[in-house]
Amino acid sequence: MHFTLSDLVLDVAQNAAEAHSKRVRVQIEETEKRFYFSVQDDGKGMDRESLQRALDPFYTDGTKHPGRKVGLGLPFLVQTAEQSGGGWNVQSEPGKGTTVAGWFDLENVDCPPVGDIPGLIRTILLLPGPEEWILYRSLVRQGRRIEYEVRRSELENVLGNLEEGENLILLDQYLRSQETEE
């Protein structure tokens, strides 16, 4: 279930991680009126027919969730974007990867809340699969822009194993500090 826009981004990022990607780039941009994200992977990609099936809420490849009739998550993105005055785009090519993007009108009454972005970034950095996660964040509030980019490899060089207790706490504190103006 997707309660926030962060849940949608996490779902798409998890799909990218499970697509045998080596490198995944996630871009999250937010203003007071608009939320945009994209997830670009270099995984197995999809042909046109597979992409059409992935947009079917009842399609499953049978391997991601064996025994469950669960789709790939893209229909939730499409539905949420369209009902909240936004849009979406998916581009994919077999052997080259997939890029999924969504944008939302934050002033639309049907738009879900954004959610916890530092918590989202922390969770994505811990997803298994790709050798590298690159996350770019842009936030504009009251005319001030905050931008930062984190890479899992650089954070591991500084902190060590990101899944260990103290390192995880430091990672969380660092990400939350990037979201504030000083």
Side-chain angles (χ1 to χ4, degrees):
M1 183 56 93
H2 300 94
F3 297 107
T4 66
L5 296 178
S6 295
D7 295 331
L8 289 170
V9 177
L10 179 59
D11 195 21
V12 173
Q14 191 163 11
N15 287 342
E18 294 172 349
H20 307 291
S21 302
K22 291 182 179 172
R23 182 174 180 248
V24 180
R25 178 176 169 79
V26 179
Q27 184 172 339
I28 302 169
E29 299 179 7
E30 180 184 350
T31 67
E32 291 163 328
K33 296 181 178 182
R34 183 175 186 259
F35 182 88
Y36 168 86
F37 82 93
S38 69
V39 177
Q40 179 182 23
D41 71 58
D42 62 357
K44 61 185 178 184
M46 295 178 279
D47 59 26
R48 186 174 292 203
E49 183 179 316
S50 297
L51 179 56
Q52 285 303 312
R53 285 194 311 253
L55 295 170
D56 178 345
F58 302 107
Y59 170 74
T60 179
D61 62 4
T63 59
K64 186 172 180 180
H65 302 286
R68 292 177 51 198
K69 299 245 181 219
V70 177
L72 297 176
L74 289 176
F76 291 119
L77 167 64
V78 170
Q79 180 184 19
T80 304
E82 290 179 349
Q83 78 182 19
S84 61
W88 58 278
N89 186 25
V90 180
Q91 296 179 352
S92 190
E93 189 173 336
K96 294 193 174 180
T98 301
T99 300
V100 177
W103 53 95
F104 306 86
D105 177 358
L106 294 175
E107 295 182 326
N108 188 305
V109 70
D110 291 323
C111 188
V114 170
D116 177 16
I117 297 298
L120 167 67
I121 293 172
R122 182 193 66 238
T123 302
I124 289 173
L125 288 168
L126 297 175
L127 288 174
E131 295 171 11
E132 183 68 286
W133 283 101
I134 303 166
L135 290 104
Y136 168 79
R137 168 77 162 140
S138 170
L139 173 64
V140 178
R141 284 208 178 120
Q142 298 174 338
R144 294 185 156 181
R145 177 181 294 271
I146 297 171
E147 292 179 292
Y148 64 94
E149 182 176 289
V150 293
R151 293 171 181 258
R152 180 164 66 188
S153 61
E154 292 176 352
L155 291 167
E156 286 175 334
N157 284 340
V158 173
L159 297 172
N161 182 347
L162 299 178
E163 294 182 22
E164 290 184 16
E166 290 183 20
N167 298 345
L168 189 57
I169 292 169
L170 289 172
L171 173 62
D172 190 67
Q173 289 173 344
Y174 173 73
L175 293 172
R176 292 188 189 287
S177 75
Q178 296 301 300
E179 295 277 325
T180 59
E181 300 174 49
E182 302 238 352

